[in-house]
Amino acid sequence: MSGTDFLPKITIPDIFARKKEGRRISMITAYDYPSAQVADDAGIDIILVGDSLGMVVLGYENTLKVTMEEMIHHTKAAARGRKRALLIGDMPYLSYHTSVEDAVRNAGRFVQEGGAEGVKVEGGRKRVRVIRAILDAEIPVMGHIGLTPQSIHMMGGYKVQGRIFEKAEELVRDAKILEEEGVFSIVLEGIPDELSRIISSELKIPTIGIGAGRYCDGQVLVFHDLLGFNSCYLPKFVRKYANLNDEVKSSIRRFISDVQSGDFPSDNESYSLPRDVAEKLLMKYGVTAAD
């Protein structure tokens, strides 16, 4: 039994109400049963099955290669691991870009097949028709503006957005438009601290930041980044709360050494036959009894 077993299930209205209550929101990405389970047990508010799994789990160079089938597969696994946290599925590239009908169908798959309780959609005003249709299908939507990884080719890479006055104004307008359409929260990624402060103060719905400074109503980090579970470059906004990469490698090296020396497994880690059966078998096959 975990420490969160007696806490109430977190719902969309709960997250929506957090801003008014002045309670900050914690969100983490998780991509499978064990990571979702441990995050849920720790008391996280929202688990996002992010398309970032393409990079940190599947080894793609970016998120653009992630498919709906891969997202549904991982969302199902995460859903089995969480009990209390709100579970959101990340709409991958081309799952909502081709038509409104495709968008609603794919969002529905996250809920019906994956067990998600809402979906995240990247983009501002250009996604209004899609977001409106998904909401009309009774599926909650989390917005996402600023640095949107599915648009990296248009943006010229992973660059901080909104540093020019006109672009900053566009992001403020996009956030207001998404709120008007009915999203329950908005992820602000890769934007300056001052801009996220303005957007957060202008909205009644919560903002959740990643590389967007201190003034958002919540924060999100990637599971593997937070735990130091990789050895690649990490952006400046990532705070590593552990260094599991080194710890795991050290543990595996000790295992290799113990196997090679014969120290593993020990008697306590092995099963034994009843004494009389062992003696008969050893005698029959001419095997010398171990010391």
Side-chain angles (χ1 to χ4, degrees):
M1 184 176 293
S2 73
T4 60
D5 282 344
F6 299 106
L7 295 175
K9 175 74 179 71
I10 294 179
T11 65
I12 296 291
D14 292 333
I15 297 300
F16 189 81
R18 288 291 181 93
K19 182 158 187 158
K20 186 175 182 179
E21 297 167 356
R23 297 169 59 199
R24 296 202 177 253
I25 300 160
S26 60
M27 184 164 86
I28 194 170
T29 65
Y31 313 109
D32 54 25
Y33 175 83
S35 60
Q37 185 179 52
V38 72
D40 193 82
D41 285 348
I44 204 76
D45 294 319
I46 305 174
I47 292 173
L48 171 68
V49 185
D51 63 358
S52 50
L53 70 86
M55 301 170 74
V56 298
V57 176
L58 302 179
Y60 298 148
E61 62 181 347
N62 54 47
T63 64
L64 299 179
K65 294 183 179 180
V66 180
T67 67
M68 268 300 297
E69 296 309 318
E70 289 167 336
M71 290 302 303
I72 295 297
H73 172 84
H74 285 274
T75 304
K76 284 181 179 180
R80 290 190 285 267
R82 75 90 172 84
K83 295 179 181 177
R84 174 180 172 269
L86 184 72
L87 184 66
I88 302 297
D90 203 0
M91 297 282 283
Y93 182 60
L94 289 186
S95 66
Y96 58 96
H97 302 74
T98 51
S99 71
V100 169
E101 291 75 18
D102 285 346
V104 173
R105 185 181 305 109
N106 287 322
R109 290 190 64 193
F110 270 107
V111 175
Q112 191 173 58
E113 299 176 41
E117 295 153 304
V119 296
K120 181 172 75 65
V121 176
E122 291 187 13
R125 70 198 71 187
K126 68 172 67 174
R127 303 300 175 209
V128 164
R129 289 179 62 246
V130 164
I131 289 171
R132 188 177 298 157
I134 294 173
L135 289 170
D136 284 346
E138 309 297 340
I139 301 170
V141 176
M142 173 183 283
H144 182 165
I145 61 174
L147 197 171
T148 47
Q150 292 172 16
S151 305
I152 56 167
H153 294 318
M154 292 289 290
M155 293 178 171
Y158 297 99
K159 299 179 179 180
V160 175
Q161 301 296 303
R163 280 183 159 158
I164 301 171
F165 181 83
E166 291 76 15
K167 295 294 184 182
E169 286 271 83
E170 284 183 15
L171 287 173
V172 174
R173 288 196 295 270
D174 278 345
K176 290 182 176 181
I177 289 169
L178 292 183
E179 179 179 53
E180 290 169 4
E181 288 303 319
V183 302
F184 73 91
S185 62
I186 300 178
V187 171
L188 304 180
E189 180 170 0
I191 66 173
D193 197 42
E194 300 89 345
L195 180 54
S196 66
R197 184 178 188 179
I198 292 168
I199 293 173
S200 297
S201 66
E202 289 288 313
L203 301 182
K204 293 183 175 63
I205 60 173
T207 58
I208 301 175
I210 178 166
R214 300 162 288 172
Y215 297 103
C216 296
D217 302 299
Q219 299 290 335
V220 56
L221 282 177
V222 170
F223 184 90
H224 296 68
D225 293 349
L226 182 155
L227 295 176
F229 220 139
N230 49 46
S231 56
C232 62
Y233 163 80
L234 295 177
K236 66 176 290 184
F237 62 79
V238 173
R239 180 179 294 182
K240 290 170 62 173
Y241 288 83
N243 192 358
L244 294 190
N245 186 280
D246 287 350
E247 290 185 34
V248 170
K249 282 193 289 190
S250 176
S251 299
I252 293 173
R253 284 170 182 151
R254 294 204 311 272
F255 167 67
I256 293 169
S257 177
D258 288 348
V259 169
Q260 291 175 342
S261 69
D263 187 58
F264 176 82
S266 66
D267 287 343
N268 290 335
E269 294 155 336
S270 304
Y271 301 104
S272 298
L273 287 167
R275 186 181 182 89
D276 59 329
V277 176
E279 289 177 349
K280 287 180 181 179
L281 283 171
L282 293 173
M283 184 177 296
K284 178 177 180 180
Y285 291 100
V287 178
T288 302
D291 294 333

